[in-house]
Amino acid sequence: MAEALEVEISAFFNKYMETFATWDGDQIAKLYCAPCITMRGDGSIHCFQSRDEIARFFQGVADTYRREGAASGTLHDVVAVPIGERSALGTVTWKNLRPDGSVTRQWRQSYNLVRFPDGWRILATTFHLSGVPG
């Protein structure tokens, strides 16, 4: 069962990566629950109450990645842990890549996912941070 869930969650993350490659915040937002919460790589925590808020936020993220030179991305080291019948914790390492394949950014992130009739959606995300806040 755990192996089947990992395959399913990996497929979701591949879909997420393909959706992010559209650079369209509205498309990215469709993969999230509303409301949702995210802890970013800088330790800031954001709570979004609507799909529009999610879309605006992720449009900004996508624009930042593009300014950094990202043309595509890859995912690695997927781990999926069931949390009941309709939810899971998925953890993945992401890499944003330039056209030449060099890395612009790499990070590890966990996602609380909920299964709906039309597929998985993200309820909460947490970047894996290092160190104690100062």
Side-chain angles (χ1 to χ4, degrees), residues 23-108:
W23 309 111
D24 183 340
D26 287 329
Q27 294 302 311
I28 298 165
K30 290 178 182 176
L31 299 174
Y32 283 80
C33 296
C36 72
I37 189 168
T38 183
M39 184 179 72
R40 306 304 299 161
D42 64 4
S44 63
I45 297 173
H46 303 267
C47 182
F48 305 107
Q49 299 299 317
S50 70
R51 174 80 36 93
D52 287 341
E53 288 179 7
I54 299 165
R56 280 193 302 274
F57 178 81
F58 281 102
Q59 187 62 63
V61 172
D63 292 346
T64 296
Y65 291 171
R66 287 179 81 180
R67 278 193 304 276
E68 293 174 350
S72 64
T74 60
L75 61 101
H76 308 273
D77 306 319
V78 175
V79 176
V81 178
I83 308 174
E85 294 179 13
R86 290 190 48 229
S87 57
L89 176 66
T91 301
V92 63
T93 297
W94 298 106
K95 290 182 183 181
N96 286 351
L97 305 175
R98 293 180 184 90
D100 68 3
S102 62
V103 176
T104 64
R105 182 185 292 239
Q106 177 176 323
W107 68 100
R108 189 141 177 90

Side-chain angles (χ1 to χ4, degrees), residues 2-22:
E3 188 175 312
L5 180 65
E6 196 161 294
V7 168
E8 195 176 342
I9 296 302
S10 292
F12 171 79
F13 285 140
N14 276 303
K15 177 181 175 182
Y16 185 86
M17 186 174 53
E18 291 166 7
T19 303
F20 224 99
T22 69

